[in-house]
Amino acid sequence: MTSFDPNTLETKKVHSYLLSAVAPRPIAFASTVDAQGKPNLSPFSFFNVFSANPPIMVFSPSRRVRDNTVKHTLLNAEATKEVVINVVNYNIVHQMSLSSTEYAQGVNEFEKAGLTMLKSDIVKPYRVAESPVQFECKVNEIIPLGEHGGAGNLIICEVVKFHINDEVLNEDLTINQEKLDLVSRAGGNYYSRAKIGFFQIPKPLSTMGIGVDKLPDEIKKSTVLTGNDLGMLANVERIPSQAQVEAFMTDKLRRYPNLKNATRVEKHKLAQNYLSYGDVESAWNILLS
């Protein structure tokens, strides 16, 4: 075996080994508000449940390795002592990934990811309406684990109310794990779908994706494209230009001679097929053709 002393490695290397080896990990899709009530939404895979009586969940927003700054979620939890932890299923995994983009403070990640804010019953942070299970929580304690980049901050949350979508409940009100279709996090670009196994999602652009809120209305309101599809399309730095679309069409018309006269629904279905293979660029060109 190859052995390592973490004290002799760069933090980012230790971080990479930990994330790849301790996997898959459940995802806390944490919604908070700041002192002025502005919403924030971000995923965390340093997360689990630790008690049923009282019901306790713990997640950890780590200090950024590159510059030792802290995340808005941590600042908001410190300020308001409230959070909503939403679970992530396959239907919203691309939107969840997009929300992890480091948008500026005050930017609404619900809007960027194309997710719906649902008012909570007890706490101020909004729930993610598309999440199949949502936990309203009070923050009991925050434990900092260090002062340097990569150090975690344990946010100990007590569940005060939770909500489960009827579609994932059996007749006896137990959760149907197959229908819940949870996803979890591993190292690099890897995720795991509970009922199938590993798949990959490219990390959000460091240059910042445009966000679902910036998509053209005919795409955003598509009757074909799913939330995951929109999340993939929104993770681009800019929309293709008309010249790029025309160049694409010149090439593709040889393979799809009827594309030019295709209906909107037909184009959206073809674009969706390209998205299923991770070809976002071709999907965009088809949608704009």
Side-chain angles (χ1 to χ4, degrees):
M1 298 184 74
T2 303
S3 302
F4 302 94
D5 178 348
N7 294 312
T8 66
L9 298 176
E10 291 183 327
T11 302
K12 64 180 180 181
K13 196 71 173 177
V14 177
H15 186 258
S16 175
Y17 281 131
L18 290 174
L19 267 59
S20 295
V22 185
R25 301 180 307 282
I27 301 169
F29 205 8
S31 170
T32 56
V33 295
D34 64 16
Q36 287 72 45
K38 293 180 180 177
N40 180 269
L41 182 64
S42 187
F44 299 91
S45 68
F46 287 178
F47 162 65
N48 219 310
V49 58
F50 289 89
S51 173
N53 186 22
I56 298 292
M57 295 179 169
V58 179
F59 73 101
S60 177
S62 298
R63 303 181 73 92
R64 294 183 179 92
V65 174
R66 68 174 184 275
D67 59 9
N68 199 26
T69 56
V70 297
K71 298 184 177 181
H72 301 142
T73 299
L74 176 61
L75 297 175
N76 293 349
E78 289 173 337
T80 68
K81 305 298 186 196
E82 294 182 339
V83 62
V84 174
I85 295 177
N86 307 273
V87 305
V88 179
N89 67 351
Y90 189 73
N91 287 341
I92 61 171
V93 65
H94 282 277
Q95 291 166 282
M96 175 277 300
S97 177
L98 180 60
S99 76
S100 69
T101 300
E102 292 184 7
Y103 294 110
Q105 189 166 7
V107 171
N108 188 338
E109 287 85 1
F110 279 92
E111 293 179 355
K112 286 295 180 184
L115 295 167
T116 307
M117 293 192 301
L118 182 62
K119 187 175 176 58
S120 296
D121 291 348
I122 296 176
V123 301
K124 292 185 179 66
Y126 295 92
R127 295 178 274 150
V128 175
E130 291 81 0
S131 169
V133 186
Q134 310 135 9
F135 297 94
E136 298 186 33
C137 303
K138 296 285 188 179
V139 175
N140 286 352
E141 189 177 2
I142 299 176
I143 303 175
L145 301 180
E147 299 179 351
H148 302 292
N153 295 274
L154 301 184
I155 301 182
I156 301 175
C157 307
E158 182 170 347
V159 178
V160 293
K161 192 167 189 177
F162 59 97
H163 314 265
I164 305 174
N165 191 309
D166 290 340
E167 291 182 0
V168 302
L169 288 175
N170 296 313
E171 289 186 5
D172 62 357
L173 296 185
T174 58
I175 290 178
N176 185 310
Q177 294 290 166
E178 290 281 337
K179 292 181 178 178
L180 188 59
D181 200 10
L182 291 176
V183 295
S184 54
R185 195 71 172 90
N189 292 339
Y190 280 97
Y191 289 76
S192 180
R193 189 174 180 181
K195 64 181 185 180
I196 293 179
F198 280 119
F199 63 98
Q200 293 190 66
I201 295 179
K203 292 183 184 297
L205 298 174
S206 58
T207 49
M208 218 165 287
I210 60 172
V212 172
D213 59 324
K214 299 299 183 184
L215 297 179
D217 279 347
E218 69 174 48
I219 294 176
K220 193 160 48 177
K221 297 177 181 178
S222 172
T223 58
V224 174
L225 300 172
T226 67
N228 270 342
D229 294 331
L230 298 182
M232 294 176 73
L233 290 167
N235 188 33
V236 296
E237 187 176 359
R238 61 179 62 87
I239 295 173
S241 67
Q242 188 59 38
Q244 289 173 307
V245 174
E246 290 174 0
F248 174 88
M249 288 294 291
T250 299
D251 177 61
K252 291 301 179 185
L253 282 177
R254 299 190 191 99
R255 189 183 306 176
Y256 303 111
N258 298 322
L259 180 57
K260 194 169 185 179
N261 299 316
T263 66
R264 179 183 298 179
V265 169
E266 289 171 337
K267 288 181 179 178
H268 284 208
K269 287 182 177 179
L270 182 57
Q272 188 176 57
N273 185 56
Y274 273 94
L275 289 172
S276 71
Y277 292 100
D279 189 348
V280 178
E281 181 180 0
S282 294
W284 260 115
N285 282 300
I286 290 168
L287 292 169
L288 296 175
S289 63

